[in-house]
Amino acid sequence: MADLLGIGKSGLNVSKKALEVTGHNLSNVNTEGYSRQRVMQSTAIPVSVGGFVQGTGVKVDGVRRFNDEFIDKRLNTALANNKFYEARTEHLEQVENIFNELDSDGLNQVINKFFNSFRELANQPENETIRSVVRDNANLVIKDFRRIRGTLDTQSGNIDRKIQNSVADVNQLLRHIADLNGKITTIEAAQGETGDLRDQRDMALRNLSENFKIHTYVDEKNRFIVTAQGIGTLVTGLHVQELGTVTQNKNDSSNGMNGSVEVVLKDRPSQKITDLFKGGTLAAIIKVRNEDLKKLQNDIDGIAYQFTSSVNSIHRQGFVNRQITIGADGKPAAVDHKGLTTGLDFFKQPLSVEEAGNEIDLSDSVKADLSNIAAALSPNAPGDNRVAIAISKLQHERISGDGSVTLEEKYLQTIGNIGLETGKARIDSEQATGILAQANSLRERLTGVSIDEETANMIRFQQAYQASAKIMQAADDMFKTVLELKR
Amino acid sequence: MTRVSENSSTASLQYALNKTKAKVEDLQLKGSTLKAITRPSDNPVSNVEAMALTSSTNDNLQYLKNADFALLNLSVSEKSVEELTDIIVKAKEIAIAQSSDFFNADVRKNVANEVQQLYNQALAIANKKVGIKHIFSGTSTLTVPFDGNGNYKGDKGHISLEVSRNFFVPINLTGEEVFYNTTDTVKAENPLEKFDQFKDAPSVKLNRDLASVESEGAKVEGAEGTEDGFKSRDNIFSQLQALTSALENNDPQMIQGLLEKFDNTVSRLVTLRTRIGSITNSVESSKNNLSNENIEHASRRSALVDADVTELFSDINKQQAILKTTYQASQGLMNQSLMDFLRR
């Protein structure tokens, strides 16, 4: 009868453990990354008594975690892709907002106004008021070029800071993974349960995947090796190769901007790996910064350069709107009391294409005196409007892109491109979200906790517990019967 | 059989809710702006086309302003030439009347005063202004074109205005062209001619000259081959002065000699007027074209940018119904579990 008591006790034990695990599952129903667990049980080793094989009850083999590493890998890849397009869409949408001028006066409209004010000046080149309108409109153009170029720079700078934060996050995750690698090995060496720690490690890998695409292998001690394509091994067992950031100047940076933040391996700070990341937010923001923003900055600079230099080259041929003394040789005086009488720039002549969008400004002479706005091609001809006409005609001249497009076409192409890129990113992002949702639900179906299922199990284990207790009670009754024999 | 876990059902529900809500949000934005495009990425091609249309419309509005300005100048010039013709016709009538021996010196002296008045009127017309601009002084628009003796102080510059894209019209006649009987006119040039930047530009249409003689073929008689000295005398002012002095000197012979010159002047002025008239017409028709073009632009832009209201609001209703259904479905899903049924 002692064996009956033992069998009953083993049943109680297993049922109690099963109920505990059920409780653990239920309490973690909303824990992110939790995989449901289940008690593995088997019959205890039978003994042979008097030629009979006799069962000895049940025993707990261990607690198993439901998990499939292929599903996890698929999820991580889907996550990296999704985060890539999500971050790309988010940043490109911010960029396209700079160029949203369907109903507002954006650069295109102010440049249009600028050229039209020269047309107005051509009507009445004698009129000083129109000259001031021309100057005001030119100032609006300058302001808008600087707004666009400045906002692009700001966004680039914001991404720099994001890269730094992202790298700090990544390092923390890498250390966390290595740390968990160590704990799991130690506990498993002592036959301990590591389901929850493995969940945490999977979770850390998933968080890492949000930053960039990773590959994982498992070594003989169940430790994870984490690599990233093109970058190398980041975690090997307990060892971590951390990332670092350096700030570089214009010539060394990957986007041609001063103070650009570049990613390096901490041990090799001289070797940039900024452009090597694939997938995830890090690759997305770097791509936006190094490709999209850089291209826009170059385009805007190119447009600003073309615009100011071509206006200047015509303006220089004109004469100021003042009485100029004609010398004995019939040539007009080159200088008068207000300065040069011809050869004046309208805009400050940009030194190079680079930064032309930031450095655009009126020339000092136009700032100083309205009569320095030259509308006339001949001296002392206040009614001569040929320079004003010629400047206004630049609007429709193919002076951009090696003489293939007008400034407006070039600018509209730029906006068209950013619109296309943003639209594409948005569609890709929607798709990637769908794929991620699918991968997630695939994982959740296997590893997720179902309250209904656990409730059913709870009843099952509770009843098994009660039944085992009844066996013990029966054994007890049997003892009592035997003990009462003596009375 | 696929397992359904708590998280998988909430996740799929969240996904469905998010998707529908994003659609509703997008539609509501379109509904509140009544625009099919609210940002470049909604439709990059239409967005860019709409912006180009806006610029083109603004250009046209400016061309319309230019055209009005050209019309103002042309009509003032035309009116001046008309008044000038009347003066010369009147002078000619006087000359005809006085060329016979019917009148005596006293009468002629009195009539000479009348001709002096005509001279003054002609001078006033010659120095007419539009705004601050003297219309007959070439490009030296701030200079008074004629002094009291009828000497021309302006230049030979021509002013052109762009009244629609690449269509330039001359808007002025120089004092010389109107008041002098001279072949020495400067042909109005393409205003972009002197700029290297526009060498390869598509040819700019320039309306016919207002005054250039070679373009007309009909030559001004009596003016050809004249010497400089004579040329400067052979103008409207010198003709009127000659008539005055002939009247004062009581010289019917000389008066008679002037008749042909007056005739020439009148026919020349009539030709100028006709040309101004034809340019005015072409500006008017270009204005019509511009207005029509702007109407087309507006309707094209609306087709590109404006939302189809009927379709939009039926879409909004549809999406809102879907959202409502999703909410109702989630109510059943989220609040029930086996637990609810095991409770006693």
Side-chain angles (χ1 to χ4, degrees):
Chain A
M1 272 166 291
D3 41 351
L4 199 58
L5 210 57
I7 289 169
K9 193 182 135 218
S10 77
L12 274 186
N13 258 341
V14 170
S15 298
K16 186 168 153 263
K17 183 71 189 168
L19 271 171
E20 272 170 25
V21 169
T22 304
H24 188 56
N25 281 342
L26 276 173
S27 46
N28 281 299
V29 66
N30 289 323
T31 305
E32 213 192 328
Y34 179 77
S35 315
R36 71 190 161 105
Q37 297 173 5
R38 183 178 173 188
V39 170
M40 304 304 294
Q41 58 186 65
S42 60
T43 40
I45 299 157
V47 290
S48 175
V49 181
F52 291 106
V53 176
Q54 193 182 332
T56 56
V58 65
K59 70 175 180 20
V60 175
D61 284 335
V63 177
R64 194 187 128 195
R65 182 179 74 124
F66 278 83
N67 168 266
D68 181 335
E69 65 173 299
F70 294 106
I71 287 180
D72 273 355
K73 278 187 177 168
R74 209 163 125 184
L75 179 63
N76 287 352
T77 313
L79 196 64
N81 273 330
N82 178 56
K83 285 286 163 186
F84 177 84
Y85 288 116
E86 199 178 276
R88 182 162 172 74
T89 310
E90 185 196 324
H91 282 87
L92 287 182
E93 273 177 355
Q94 284 174 23
V95 176
E96 80 165 346
N97 273 337
I98 309 175
F99 299 101
N100 195 359
E101 53 177 293
L102 261 184
D103 292 305
S104 57
D105 273 2
L107 185 61
N108 201 45
Q109 296 309 309
V110 294
I111 289 184
N112 187 254
K113 263 191 192 159
F114 171 82
F115 284 123
N116 276 326
S117 64
F118 268 99
R119 284 191 187 104
E120 188 71 41
L121 184 64
N123 287 345
Q124 306 181 58
E126 307 88 352
N127 193 327
E128 189 87 351
T129 319
I130 296 176
R131 265 163 223 279
S132 83
V133 172
V134 168
R135 188 165 68 180
D136 289 348
N137 281 333
N139 272 323
L140 288 180
V141 172
I142 290 166
K143 230 172 79 184
D144 218 54
F145 262 117
R146 290 193 190 154
R147 168 186 73 90
I148 291 176
R149 192 57 171 74
T151 317
L152 291 174
D153 289 358
T154 311
Q155 299 223 358
S156 208
N158 287 344
I159 289 179
D160 281 342
R161 273 188 296 285
K162 274 200 175 167
I163 291 174
Q164 278 169 330
N165 289 340
S166 184
V167 163
D169 271 357
V170 165
N171 284 341
Q172 206 185 351
L173 287 168
L174 292 177
R175 284 193 299 267
H176 191 45
I177 292 166
D179 188 36
L180 286 166
N181 268 344
K183 278 185 185 156
I184 288 167
T185 316
T186 319
I187 293 172
E188 281 180 358
Q191 311 292 319
E193 283 167 28
T194 54
D196 294 344
L197 291 178
R198 279 171 175 259
D199 276 351
Q200 277 183 35
R201 187 170 62 180
D202 287 348
M203 200 57 206
L205 286 170
R206 213 165 299 143
N207 289 337
L208 193 59
S209 297
E210 291 186 359
N211 291 286
F212 49 84
K213 235 175 228 169
I214 52 163
H215 296 274
T216 52
Y217 310 95
V218 185
D219 72 2
E220 74 287 354
K221 287 178 178 167
N222 279 334
R223 297 184 304 202
F224 273 29
I225 296 157
V226 181
T227 65
Q229 200 191 333
I231 289 157
T233 309
L234 298 173
V235 180
T236 337
L238 303 177
H239 180 71
V240 174
Q241 172 60 263
E242 285 188 23
L243 301 179
T245 52
V246 290
T247 318
Q248 283 190 326
N249 61 28
K250 215 183 221 154
N251 297 328
D252 298 326
S253 70
S254 53
N255 69 337
M257 273 190 71
N258 234 342
S260 154
V261 168
E262 306 290 338
V263 186
V264 292
L265 290 177
K266 212 170 209 172
D267 297 346
R268 265 173 285 167
S270 60
Q271 211 176 323
K272 283 201 297 268
I273 52 169
T274 320
D275 285 321
L276 299 179
F277 294 98
K278 307 265 185 301
T281 47
L282 198 55
I285 58 176
I286 288 170
K287 189 175 153 83
V288 168
R289 189 193 74 175
N290 287 2
E291 289 176 25
D292 304 282
L293 285 173
K294 187 181 175 189
K295 184 171 183 311
L296 283 170
Q297 285 161 333
N298 289 343
D299 282 352
I300 294 299
D301 280 347
I303 293 170
Y305 184 82
Q306 278 300 340
F307 174 69
T308 48
S309 356
S310 41
V311 169
N312 277 349
S313 74
I314 287 177
H315 192 263
R316 270 186 231 128
Q317 298 173 55
F319 283 90
V320 297
N321 185 39
R322 300 191 288 269
Q323 198 63 37
I324 304 165
T325 25
I326 307 289
D329 54 355
K331 284 185 179 158
V335 185
D336 69 359
H337 64 288
K338 276 179 172 169
L340 290 173
T341 58
T342 182
L344 290 166
D345 282 338
F346 186 85
F347 290 107
K348 204 164 267 173
Q349 180 62 27
L351 300 172
S352 64
V353 180
E354 210 181 320
E355 294 288 315
N358 272 331
E359 284 160 7
I360 182 171
D361 201 1
L362 284 178
S363 68
D364 291 337
S365 45
V366 169
K367 269 187 200 164
D369 196 314
L370 285 174
S371 70
N372 281 330
I373 295 176
L377 193 56
S378 19
N380 296 333
D384 184 358
N385 59 6
R386 284 175 290 175
V387 169
I389 288 179
I391 289 176
S392 78
K393 290 306 286 177
L394 282 174
Q395 185 191 2
H396 301 128
E397 271 300 288
R398 304 193 179 285
I399 50 174
S400 192
D402 297 326
S404 59
V405 288
T406 67
L407 282 176
E408 180 175 44
E409 284 163 354
K410 175 77 188 157
Y411 179 67
L412 293 183
Q413 273 174 11
T414 307
I415 298 187
N417 278 339
I418 189 71
L420 276 175
E421 282 297 322
T422 313
K424 226 161 51 183
R426 194 178 298 134
I427 291 167
D428 284 340
S429 172
E430 273 166 28
Q431 248 168 27
T433 310
I435 291 168
L436 174 65
Q438 226 173 26
N440 226 340
S441 93
L442 212 62
R443 186 185 170 277
E444 282 297 336
R445 274 182 193 162
L446 177 75
T447 67
V449 177
S450 158
I451 292 180
D452 286 351
E453 187 182 79
E454 299 301 328
T455 311
N457 278 341
M458 199 166 81
I459 294 163
R460 202 169 93 193
F461 298 137
Q462 215 177 345
Q463 281 175 349
Y465 186 88
Q466 279 168 359
S468 295
K470 277 270 187 260
I471 294 291
M472 289 179 76
Q473 200 177 16
D476 182 43
D477 284 350
M478 283 158 78
F479 268 124
K480 274 184 188 150
T481 314
V482 175
L483 288 174
E484 276 170 9
L485 280 174
K486 239 179 159 181
R487 227 181 248 175
Chain B
M1 198 186 78
T2 43
R3 272 183 86 249
V4 176
S5 72
E6 248 40 52
N7 283 340
S8 72
S9 52
T10 40
S12 66
L13 185 70
Q14 270 169 2
Y15 180 68
L17 273 175
N18 263 334
K19 221 172 161 177
T20 318
K21 277 176 94 173
K23 269 187 196 153
V24 171
E25 188 185 294
D26 186 51
L27 286 171
Q28 268 168 348
L29 183 67
K30 287 184 173 139
S32 60
T33 55
L34 291 180
K35 295 258 186 287
I37 307 176
T38 49
R39 50 193 169 185
S41 57
D42 282 343
N43 188 338
V45 180
S46 297
N47 177 62
V48 163
E49 196 183 332
M51 279 168 70
L53 280 174
T54 309
S55 319
S56 188
T57 304
N58 287 341
D59 288 354
N60 283 352
L61 291 175
Q62 182 62 46
Y63 289 136
L64 281 171
K65 268 177 154 179
N66 291 9
D68 283 337
F69 199 78
L71 285 178
L72 172 66
N73 277 273
L74 288 169
S75 82
V76 174
S77 299
E78 189 181 6
K79 191 89 185 126
S80 306
V81 173
E82 187 187 346
E83 285 167 13
L84 210 53
T85 317
D86 288 348
I87 289 171
I88 302 300
V89 167
K90 209 172 260 174
K92 193 187 139 196
E93 279 166 4
I94 291 171
I96 291 171
Q98 301 295 332
S99 62
S100 68
D101 289 334
F102 188 76
F103 297 102
N104 62 21
D106 284 346
V107 175
R108 290 205 166 108
K109 260 209 172 86
N110 280 334
V111 176
N113 284 334
E114 203 181 321
V115 177
Q116 188 60 43
Q117 279 310 310
L118 292 177
Y119 178 92
N120 291 340
Q121 279 177 30
L123 192 63
I125 292 168
N127 290 336
K128 200 171 247 180
K129 282 165 87 177
V130 171
I132 55 168
K133 195 182 227 176
H134 289 279
I135 57 170
F136 289 125
S137 53
T139 53
S140 310
T141 46
L142 299 179
T143 312
V144 180
F146 289 95
D147 65 10
N149 296 321
N151 295 315
Y152 183 52
K153 303 290 182 195
D155 58 33
K156 295 176 177 173
H158 285 106
I159 299 170
S160 308
L161 288 185
E162 196 179 15
V163 292
S164 75
R165 189 147 162 196
N166 289 339
F167 181 51
F168 286 89
V169 293
I171 58 156
N172 73 323
L173 284 163
T174 68
E176 272 190 340
E177 288 162 351
V178 178
F179 295 90
Y180 285 31
N181 281 344
T182 170
T183 49
D184 186 24
T185 51
V186 176
K187 199 175 180 310
E189 62 174 20
N190 172 350
L192 301 174
E193 207 163 52
K194 296 269 169 63
F195 296 95
D196 293 342
Q197 284 89 341
F198 300 99
K199 277 274 153 65
D200 304 327
S203 59
V204 167
K205 264 194 290 172
L206 186 69
N207 207 306
R208 58 189 289 203
D209 276 349
L210 276 176
S212 167
V213 177
E214 46 194 290
S215 67
E216 183 57 17
K219 290 194 174 130
V220 181
E221 275 179 61
E224 201 181 6
T226 49
E227 292 158 32
D228 271 12
F230 178 70
K231 198 177 69 188
S232 67
R233 274 190 288 116
D234 188 22
N235 63 50
I236 287 175
F237 300 109
S238 64
Q239 283 170 5
L240 291 171
Q241 261 167 355
L243 182 57
T244 314
S245 55
L247 286 165
E248 276 172 346
N249 295 334
N250 197 13
D251 184 349
Q253 211 65 36
M254 193 177 164
I255 297 175
Q256 207 160 25
L258 281 167
L259 285 176
E260 197 188 341
K261 289 191 174 176
F262 282 137
D263 269 342
N264 284 339
T265 305
V266 169
S267 80
R268 198 171 49 78
L269 288 177
V270 170
T271 311
L272 288 180
R273 239 181 94 188
T274 320
R275 292 198 192 163
I276 297 175
S278 86
I279 287 177
T280 307
N281 282 341
S282 69
V283 175
E284 291 283 7
S285 88
S286 122
K287 268 182 73 177
N288 272 335
N289 290 342
L290 288 173
S291 309
N292 287 337
E293 212 172 280
N294 272 0
I295 294 170
E296 278 163 30
H297 284 174
S299 73
R300 174 81 185 127
R301 194 175 185 278
S302 162
L304 291 170
V305 171
D306 291 343
D308 179 338
V309 179
T310 333
E311 193 187 313
L312 181 65
F313 282 98
S314 82
D315 277 356
I316 290 181
N317 280 337
K318 203 166 78 190
Q319 285 300 329
Q320 275 172 340
I322 292 174
L323 188 62
K324 217 169 163 183
T325 318
T326 318
Y327 281 138
Q328 275 165 352
S330 68
Q331 198 185 16
L333 191 69
M334 301 304 286
N335 292 336
Q336 307 248 297
S337 75
L338 185 58
M339 284 295 219
D340 298 309
F341 297 96
L342 292 176
R343 261 188 231 122
R344 263 152 284 180

